[in-house]
Amino acid sequence: MKTKINALIVVEGKTDIDFLSSFIDADFYSVNGSSVSKKDFDFINNYLSRGKVIVLTDPDFPGIQIRNKINLNCKGVLNSFVRKEVSIKHNKVGVAESNKEEILSALKNSQKFDELNKGNLTNYDLFELGLNGNDDSFKKRKYLTEYFHLGFANSKTLLKRLNMLNISKEEIMEVIKNVK
């Protein structure tokens, strides 16, 4: 039985739709790769006025660029992230190379990045927490982004996403205290 999701799921291509539609009942929209157009933004914004839109792109550089363009031009979309390490098959990285459990978990933990909802974390806070400038910063950032379902992020992107979700320094300290 397919999982019903009342939303438009925006993906990069047809293979993503073929894979997802095998176990998800939802509306799908493909931006046909990294050439996201005004027509795509218009369609997504039109759908947003009627219902939820979830962006589910590949965990690679082109996928990040597509997601960023959509978030910039379509306010109010939800973002779902699959982990790169479980989304690789035959030397390809992507949504279609992931698995059902990873996809459903990503969709369940969709995040809405709201630039109006600004937290007050600073780069110095990230430094104090060991999330940048230390030998184990990458490991801590990776753990934190997986915990909050933020997708892969460098320090600058992490700071922006944490502030958009209004996540406090105390919450972060609690999450990363056991990272070794």
Side-chain angles (χ1 to χ4, degrees), residues 85-175:
E85 59 270 17
V86 295
S87 302
I88 301 172
K89 278 187 193 163
H90 310 296
N91 295 321
K92 290 180 75 179
V93 176
V95 169
E97 288 71 35
S98 192
N99 62 56
K100 178 181 176 179
E101 293 76 25
E102 180 70 11
I103 298 291
L104 293 176
S105 174
L107 292 170
K108 178 182 171 204
N109 293 291
S110 297
Q111 300 282 356
K112 183 177 183 181
F113 298 127
D114 184 359
E115 293 195 31
L116 299 175
N117 189 16
K118 291 282 187 183
N120 58 1
L121 292 171
T122 66
N123 277 319
Y124 186 72
D125 291 325
L126 295 187
F127 179 75
E128 277 188 329
L129 293 164
L131 294 167
N132 66 16
N134 294 315
D135 291 339
D136 64 346
S137 294
F138 176 79
K139 185 177 7 177
K140 285 183 179 179
R141 278 195 314 273
K142 185 175 183 326
Y143 184 84
L144 188 68
T145 57
E146 287 181 6
Y147 181 86
F148 286 114
H149 305 279
L150 302 175
F152 176 79
N154 61 20
S155 295
K156 182 179 176 182
T157 301
L158 177 62
L159 179 63
K160 182 177 179 182
R161 289 179 182 168
L162 290 169
N163 278 327
M164 288 175 153
L165 294 171
N166 208 12
I167 295 172
S168 71
K169 187 174 180 179
E170 292 74 25
E171 288 175 277
I172 296 168
M173 287 169 54
E174 186 63 30
V175 170

Side-chain angles (χ1 to χ4, degrees), residues 4-98:
K4 175 72 174 153
I5 298 178
N6 293 316
L8 173 70
I9 301 175
V10 178
V11 295
E12 292 181 46
K14 185 180 176 340
T15 57
D16 297 328
I17 292 174
D18 292 343
F19 172 62
L20 296 174
S21 63
S22 71
F23 60 93
I24 295 173
D25 178 13
D27 293 329
F28 296 100
Y29 184 80
S30 167
V31 295
N32 293 314
S34 57
S35 60
V36 187
S37 68
K38 181 178 178 340
K39 174 184 83 73
D40 295 323
F41 300 138
D42 290 344
F43 181 84
I44 294 167
N45 280 317
N46 187 12
Y47 199 100
L48 263 173
S49 69
R50 297 165 169 61
K52 281 194 323 187
V53 174
I54 302 171
V55 178
L56 180 63
T57 57
D58 297 345
D60 58 8
F61 185 72
I64 293 167
Q65 285 186 312
I66 293 166
R67 178 184 305 281
N68 289 343
K69 288 176 187 175
I70 293 171
N71 275 281
L72 186 64
N73 290 282
C74 306
K75 300 299 181 199
V77 298
L78 296 167
N79 291 273
S80 290
F81 298 92
V82 292
R83 294 173 294 159
K84 187 174 188 174
E85 59 270 17
V86 295
S87 302
I88 301 172
K89 278 187 193 163
H90 310 296
N91 295 321
K92 290 180 75 179
V93 176
V95 169
E97 288 71 35
S98 192

